[in-house]
Amino acid sequence: MEFKTVCVIGLGYIGLPTASTFAKAGLQVIGVDVNPHIIESLQNGQVHIYEPGLGTLVKEAINTSNLVISSHPVPADAFIIAVPTPFYENKKADLSFVISAAESIIPHLNKGNLVVLESTSPPQTTINILVPILERSGLKAGVDFSVAYSPERVLPGQILQELIENARVIGGIDQKSAEAGKKLYQTFVKGEIITTTATTAE
């Protein structure tokens, strides 16, 4: 599988740096967010997050047309879900943003695609929540498309450097999915990429 286009859903502290870094590496990236203010500000070259170097990187990515900002997903080779997962008072994760993002992918999912969940989520979210939603497309996970989970492991203030240099864990719903995730992130990751199962990665 050759990854030429990536759709990143959620343009927050992880999604925007990730989308911009993929764009800098030469991929065609569609950055998606549901917040109209974020969409408008990014389209005008203004970054809503303070992170050293991010403003320059985003502007370069948009100016080269490698990064396009949108309010909705489009067909792509890979989809990355990087939306917030806040916690309720009882310390359970609110997965409503993850569920909405997954549902927004369904009309655009094609055979051979890879879907990566990068939102911080409890173990088994990928296999018990994400996969059943995506299979509403009529396609079978692990057969028609790959699904993986990759935890974000970066510190604010050093995100752009650590995205590239840190070791990264990719957990697949099967070995093929894990390898597909590894291949995608090898586009820019220089640190070691460790493959495992989705639940272990979570």
PDB file of all heavy atoms in Angstrom, residues 134-159:
ATOM      1  N   LEU A 134     -16.916   1.486  11.706  1.00  0.00           N
ATOM      2  CA  LEU A 134     -16.352   1.509  10.353  1.00  0.00           C
ATOM      3  C   LEU A 134     -16.940   0.408   9.469  1.00  0.00           C
ATOM      4  O   LEU A 134     -17.094   0.586   8.260  1.00  0.00           O
ATOM      5  CB  LEU A 134     -14.828   1.374  10.412  1.00  0.00           C
ATOM      6  CG  LEU A 134     -14.074   2.510  11.111  1.00  0.00           C
ATOM      7  CD1 LEU A 134     -12.594   2.173  11.235  1.00  0.00           C
ATOM      8  CD2 LEU A 134     -14.255   3.831  10.352  1.00  0.00           C
ATOM      9  N   GLU A 135     -17.295  -0.730  10.081  1.00  0.00           N
ATOM     10  CA  GLU A 135     -17.851  -1.846   9.301  1.00  0.00           C
ATOM     11  C   GLU A 135     -19.283  -1.592   8.840  1.00  0.00           C
ATOM     12  O   GLU A 135     -19.817  -2.347   8.029  1.00  0.00           O
ATOM     13  CB  GLU A 135     -17.745  -3.148  10.106  1.00  0.00           C
ATOM     14  CG  GLU A 135     -16.312  -3.659  10.183  1.00  0.00           C
ATOM     15  CD  GLU A 135     -16.188  -5.022  10.831  1.00  0.00           C
ATOM     16  OE1 GLU A 135     -17.090  -5.401  11.611  1.00  0.00           O
ATOM     17  OE2 GLU A 135     -15.184  -5.716  10.556  1.00  0.00           O
ATOM     18  N   ARG A 136     -19.893  -0.500   9.334  1.00  0.00           N
ATOM     19  CA  ARG A 136     -21.198  -0.101   8.789  1.00  0.00           C
ATOM     20  C   ARG A 136     -21.083   0.290   7.316  1.00  0.00           C
ATOM     21  O   ARG A 136     -22.081   0.415   6.612  1.00  0.00           O
ATOM     22  CB  ARG A 136     -21.763   1.081   9.574  1.00  0.00           C
ATOM     23  CG  ARG A 136     -22.258   0.726  10.968  1.00  0.00           C
ATOM     24  CD  ARG A 136     -22.974   1.928  11.557  1.00  0.00           C
ATOM     25  NE  ARG A 136     -22.721   2.086  12.968  1.00  0.00           N
ATOM     26  CZ  ARG A 136     -22.780   3.225  13.629  1.00  0.00           C
ATOM     27  NH1 ARG A 136     -23.057   4.350  12.990  1.00  0.00           N
ATOM     28  NH2 ARG A 136     -22.553   3.283  14.919  1.00  0.00           N
ATOM     29  N   SER A 137     -19.855   0.495   6.866  1.00  0.00           N
ATOM     30  CA  SER A 137     -19.609   0.834   5.457  1.00  0.00           C
ATOM     31  C   SER A 137     -19.890  -0.352   4.546  1.00  0.00           C
ATOM     32  O   SER A 137     -19.970  -0.209   3.329  1.00  0.00           O
ATOM     33  CB  SER A 137     -18.147   1.259   5.268  1.00  0.00           C
ATOM     34  OG  SER A 137     -17.286   0.164   5.580  1.00  0.00           O
ATOM     35  N   GLY A 138     -20.017  -1.541   5.150  1.00  0.00           N
ATOM     36  CA  GLY A 138     -20.186  -2.756   4.362  1.00  0.00           C
ATOM     37  C   GLY A 138     -18.865  -3.453   4.101  1.00  0.00           C
ATOM     38  O   GLY A 138     -18.829  -4.571   3.572  1.00  0.00           O
ATOM     39  N   LEU A 139     -17.760  -2.812   4.489  1.00  0.00           N
ATOM     40  CA  LEU A 139     -16.425  -3.398   4.342  1.00  0.00           C
ATOM     41  C   LEU A 139     -16.027  -4.080   5.645  1.00  0.00           C
ATOM     42  O   LEU A 139     -16.504  -3.726   6.716  1.00  0.00           O
ATOM     43  CB  LEU A 139     -15.407  -2.315   3.980  1.00  0.00           C
ATOM     44  CG  LEU A 139     -15.669  -1.531   2.683  1.00  0.00           C
ATOM     45  CD1 LEU A 139     -14.636  -0.431   2.521  1.00  0.00           C
ATOM     46  CD2 LEU A 139     -15.634  -2.468   1.484  1.00  0.00           C
ATOM     47  N   LYS A 140     -15.122  -5.065   5.545  1.00  0.00           N
ATOM     48  CA  LYS A 140     -14.715  -5.855   6.711  1.00  0.00           C
ATOM     49  C   LYS A 140     -13.322  -5.437   7.164  1.00  0.00           C
ATOM     50  O   LYS A 140     -12.367  -5.455   6.388  1.00  0.00           O
ATOM     51  CB  LYS A 140     -14.718  -7.336   6.334  1.00  0.00           C
ATOM     52  CG  LYS A 140     -14.327  -8.255   7.456  1.00  0.00           C
ATOM     53  CD  LYS A 140     -15.527  -8.720   8.240  1.00  0.00           C
ATOM     54  CE  LYS A 140     -15.106  -9.735   9.299  1.00  0.00           C
ATOM     55  NZ  LYS A 140     -15.744  -9.506  10.596  1.00  0.00           N
ATOM     56  N   ALA A 141     -13.218  -5.047   8.453  1.00  0.00           N
ATOM     57  CA  ALA A 141     -11.928  -4.666   9.021  1.00  0.00           C
ATOM     58  C   ALA A 141     -10.985  -5.862   9.040  1.00  0.00           C
ATOM     59  O   ALA A 141     -11.384  -6.974   9.375  1.00  0.00           O
ATOM     60  CB  ALA A 141     -12.115  -4.125  10.435  1.00  0.00           C
ATOM     61  N   GLY A 142      -9.751  -5.636   8.647  1.00  0.00           N
ATOM     62  CA  GLY A 142      -8.774  -6.716   8.609  1.00  0.00           C
ATOM     63  C   GLY A 142      -8.789  -7.495   7.316  1.00  0.00           C
ATOM     64  O   GLY A 142      -7.853  -8.240   7.026  1.00  0.00           O
ATOM     65  N   VAL A 143      -9.861  -7.313   6.538  1.00  0.00           N
ATOM     66  CA  VAL A 143      -9.975  -7.962   5.221  1.00  0.00           C
ATOM     67  C   VAL A 143      -9.937  -6.909   4.122  1.00  0.00           C
ATOM     68  O   VAL A 143      -9.094  -6.939   3.229  1.00  0.00           O
ATOM     69  CB  VAL A 143     -11.270  -8.798   5.117  1.00  0.00           C
ATOM     70  CG1 VAL A 143     -11.396  -9.412   3.717  1.00  0.00           C
ATOM     71  CG2 VAL A 143     -11.305  -9.881   6.183  1.00  0.00           C
ATOM     72  N   ASP A 144     -10.870  -5.958   4.211  1.00  0.00           N
ATOM     73  CA  ASP A 144     -10.968  -4.917   3.189  1.00  0.00           C
ATOM     74  C   ASP A 144     -10.160  -3.666   3.544  1.00  0.00           C
ATOM     75  O   ASP A 144      -9.714  -2.939   2.649  1.00  0.00           O
ATOM     76  CB  ASP A 144     -12.433  -4.513   2.988  1.00  0.00           C
ATOM     77  CG  ASP A 144     -13.286  -5.671   2.512  1.00  0.00           C
ATOM     78  OD1 ASP A 144     -12.826  -6.391   1.606  1.00  0.00           O
ATOM     79  OD2 ASP A 144     -14.391  -5.873   3.049  1.00  0.00           O
ATOM     80  N   PHE A 145      -9.999  -3.395   4.818  1.00  0.00           N
ATOM     81  CA  PHE A 145      -9.229  -2.223   5.245  1.00  0.00           C
ATOM     82  C   PHE A 145      -8.528  -2.530   6.565  1.00  0.00           C
ATOM     83  O   PHE A 145      -8.903  -3.471   7.281  1.00  0.00           O
ATOM     84  CB  PHE A 145     -10.122  -0.982   5.376  1.00  0.00           C
ATOM     85  CG  PHE A 145     -11.189  -1.087   6.429  1.00  0.00           C
ATOM     86  CD1 PHE A 145     -10.994  -0.578   7.709  1.00  0.00           C
ATOM     87  CD2 PHE A 145     -12.420  -1.694   6.153  1.00  0.00           C
ATOM     88  CE1 PHE A 145     -11.979  -0.674   8.684  1.00  0.00           C
ATOM     89  CE2 PHE A 145     -13.420  -1.790   7.120  1.00  0.00           C
ATOM     90  CZ  PHE A 145     -13.192  -1.286   8.389  1.00  0.00           C
ATOM     91  N   SER A 146      -7.503  -1.749   6.865  1.00  0.00           N
ATOM     92  CA  SER A 146      -6.704  -1.958   8.068  1.00  0.00           C
ATOM     93  C   SER A 146      -7.076  -0.946   9.152  1.00  0.00           C
ATOM     94  O   SER A 146      -7.483   0.174   8.846  1.00  0.00           O
ATOM     95  CB  SER A 146      -5.207  -1.829   7.744  1.00  0.00           C
ATOM     96  OG  SER A 146      -4.810  -2.818   6.819  1.00  0.00           O
ATOM     97  N   VAL A 147      -6.927  -1.362  10.408  1.00  0.00           N
ATOM     98  CA  VAL A 147      -7.223  -0.479  11.536  1.00  0.00           C
ATOM     99  C   VAL A 147      -6.103  -0.602  12.566  1.00  0.00           C
ATOM    100  O   VAL A 147      -5.690  -1.710  12.914  1.00  0.00           O
ATOM    101  CB  VAL A 147      -8.571  -0.831  12.212  1.00  0.00           C
ATOM    102  CG1 VAL A 147      -8.883   0.174  13.318  1.00  0.00           C
ATOM    103  CG2 VAL A 147      -9.706  -0.861  11.187  1.00  0.00           C
ATOM    104  N   ALA A 148      -5.634   0.547  13.054  1.00  0.00           N
ATOM    105  CA  ALA A 148      -4.552   0.538  14.039  1.00  0.00           C
ATOM    106  C   ALA A 148      -4.770   1.616  15.098  1.00  0.00           C
ATOM    107  O   ALA A 148      -5.570   2.541  14.907  1.00  0.00           O
ATOM    108  CB  ALA A 148      -3.205   0.748  13.340  1.00  0.00           C
ATOM    109  N   TYR A 149      -4.064   1.459  16.204  1.00  0.00           N
ATOM    110  CA  TYR A 149      -4.082   2.460  17.271  1.00  0.00           C
ATOM    111  C   TYR A 149      -2.644   2.885  17.541  1.00  0.00           C
ATOM    112  O   TYR A 149      -1.749   2.049  17.627  1.00  0.00           O
ATOM    113  CB  TYR A 149      -4.694   1.898  18.556  1.00  0.00           C
ATOM    114  CG  TYR A 149      -4.661   2.904  19.685  1.00  0.00           C
ATOM    115  CD1 TYR A 149      -5.643   3.891  19.786  1.00  0.00           C
ATOM    116  CD2 TYR A 149      -3.629   2.901  20.620  1.00  0.00           C
ATOM    117  CE1 TYR A 149      -5.602   4.844  20.796  1.00  0.00           C
ATOM    118  CE2 TYR A 149      -3.588   3.850  21.637  1.00  0.00           C
ATOM    119  CZ  TYR A 149      -4.573   4.816  21.715  1.00  0.00           C
ATOM    120  OH  TYR A 149      -4.519   5.771  22.703  1.00  0.00           O
ATOM    121  N   SER A 150      -2.431   4.199  17.665  1.00  0.00           N
ATOM    122  CA  SER A 150      -1.091   4.696  17.982  1.00  0.00           C
ATOM    123  C   SER A 150      -1.201   5.789  19.032  1.00  0.00           C
ATOM    124  O   SER A 150      -1.742   6.865  18.758  1.00  0.00           O
ATOM    125  CB  SER A 150      -0.399   5.240  16.726  1.00  0.00           C
ATOM    126  OG  SER A 150       0.906   5.680  17.057  1.00  0.00           O
ATOM    127  N   PRO A 151      -0.724   5.530  20.250  1.00  0.00           N
ATOM    128  CA  PRO A 151      -0.822   6.550  21.294  1.00  0.00           C
ATOM    129  C   PRO A 151       0.097   7.729  21.007  1.00  0.00           C
ATOM    130  O   PRO A 151       1.210   7.551  20.507  1.00  0.00           O
ATOM    131  CB  PRO A 151      -0.364   5.802  22.554  1.00  0.00           C
ATOM    132  CG  PRO A 151       0.479   4.679  22.062  1.00  0.00           C
ATOM    133  CD  PRO A 151      -0.071   4.293  20.722  1.00  0.00           C
ATOM    134  N   GLU A 152      -0.380   8.943  21.323  1.00  0.00           N
ATOM    135  CA  GLU A 152       0.489  10.110  21.170  1.00  0.00           C
ATOM    136  C   GLU A 152       1.427  10.166  22.367  1.00  0.00           C
ATOM    137  O   GLU A 152       1.017   9.933  23.497  1.00  0.00           O
ATOM    138  CB  GLU A 152      -0.341  11.395  21.011  1.00  0.00           C
ATOM    139  CG  GLU A 152      -1.378  11.647  22.085  1.00  0.00           C
ATOM    140  CD  GLU A 152      -0.867  12.551  23.188  1.00  0.00           C
ATOM    141  OE1 GLU A 152       0.343  12.857  23.190  1.00  0.00           O
ATOM    142  OE2 GLU A 152      -1.677  12.937  24.043  1.00  0.00           O
ATOM    143  N   ARG A 153       2.693  10.469  22.124  1.00  0.00           N
ATOM    144  CA  ARG A 153       3.701  10.420  23.181  1.00  0.00           C
ATOM    145  C   ARG A 153       4.611  11.640  23.074  1.00  0.00           C
ATOM    146  O   ARG A 153       5.822  11.520  22.923  1.00  0.00           O
ATOM    147  CB  ARG A 153       4.518   9.124  23.055  1.00  0.00           C
ATOM    148  CG  ARG A 153       3.653   7.866  23.013  1.00  0.00           C
ATOM    149  CD  ARG A 153       4.476   6.617  22.797  1.00  0.00           C
ATOM    150  NE  ARG A 153       5.287   6.290  23.968  1.00  0.00           N
ATOM    151  CZ  ARG A 153       6.593   6.070  23.931  1.00  0.00           C
ATOM    152  NH1 ARG A 153       7.243   6.158  22.802  1.00  0.00           N
ATOM    153  NH2 ARG A 153       7.250   5.772  25.031  1.00  0.00           N
ATOM    154  N   VAL A 154       4.006  12.815  23.111  1.00  0.00           N
ATOM    155  CA  VAL A 154       4.787  14.043  22.954  1.00  0.00           C
ATOM    156  C   VAL A 154       4.444  15.046  24.052  1.00  0.00           C
ATOM    157  O   VAL A 154       3.354  15.010  24.628  1.00  0.00           O
ATOM    158  CB  VAL A 154       4.539  14.703  21.573  1.00  0.00           C
ATOM    159  CG1 VAL A 154       5.119  13.858  20.458  1.00  0.00           C
ATOM    160  CG2 VAL A 154       3.046  14.933  21.340  1.00  0.00           C
ATOM    161  N   LEU A 155       5.375  15.938  24.324  1.00  0.00           N
ATOM    162  CA  LEU A 155       5.176  16.984  25.335  1.00  0.00           C
ATOM    163  C   LEU A 155       4.964  18.331  24.657  1.00  0.00           C
ATOM    164  O   LEU A 155       5.708  18.681  23.729  1.00  0.00           O
ATOM    165  CB  LEU A 155       6.411  17.077  26.247  1.00  0.00           C
ATOM    166  CG  LEU A 155       6.651  15.907  27.198  1.00  0.00           C
ATOM    167  CD1 LEU A 155       7.998  16.081  27.893  1.00  0.00           C
ATOM    168  CD2 LEU A 155       5.536  15.822  28.234  1.00  0.00           C
ATOM    169  N   PRO A 156       3.970  19.108  25.094  1.00  0.00           N
ATOM    170  CA  PRO A 156       3.796  20.466  24.565  1.00  0.00           C
ATOM    171  C   PRO A 156       5.089  21.256  24.707  1.00  0.00           C
ATOM    172  O   PRO A 156       5.795  21.149  25.705  1.00  0.00           O
ATOM    173  CB  PRO A 156       2.690  21.045  25.458  1.00  0.00           C
ATOM    174  CG  PRO A 156       1.907  19.847  25.908  1.00  0.00           C
ATOM    175  CD  PRO A 156       2.933  18.755  26.076  1.00  0.00           C
ATOM    176  N   GLY A 157       5.401  22.022  23.670  1.00  0.00           N
ATOM    177  CA  GLY A 157       6.645  22.788  23.640  1.00  0.00           C
ATOM    178  C   GLY A 157       7.735  22.081  22.853  1.00  0.00           C
ATOM    179  O   GLY A 157       8.684  22.701  22.396  1.00  0.00           O
ATOM    180  N   GLN A 158       7.568  20.751  22.692  1.00  0.00           N
ATOM    181  CA  GLN A 158       8.566  19.958  21.946  1.00  0.00           C
ATOM    182  C   GLN A 158       7.899  19.026  20.939  1.00  0.00           C
ATOM    183  O   GLN A 158       8.496  18.069  20.477  1.00  0.00           O
ATOM    184  CB  GLN A 158       9.398  19.115  22.921  1.00  0.00           C
ATOM    185  CG  GLN A 158      10.109  19.902  23.994  1.00  0.00           C
ATOM    186  CD  GLN A 158      10.833  18.997  24.967  1.00  0.00           C
ATOM    187  OE1 GLN A 158      11.775  18.319  24.597  1.00  0.00           O
ATOM    188  NE2 GLN A 158      10.380  18.972  26.203  1.00  0.00           N
ATOM    189  N   ILE A 159       6.639  19.311  20.622  1.00  0.00           N
ATOM    190  CA  ILE A 159       5.845  18.377  19.821  1.00  0.00           C
ATOM    191  C   ILE A 159       6.474  18.091  18.459  1.00  0.00           C
ATOM    192  O   ILE A 159       6.608  16.937  18.054  1.00  0.00           O
ATOM    193  CB  ILE A 159       4.395  18.887  19.647  1.00  0.00           C
ATOM    194  CG1 ILE A 159       3.666  18.850  20.996  1.00  0.00           C
ATOM    195  CG2 ILE A 159       3.626  18.046  18.619  1.00  0.00           C
ATOM    196  CD1 ILE A 159       2.258  19.416  20.971  1.00  0.00           C
TER     197      ILE A 159
END
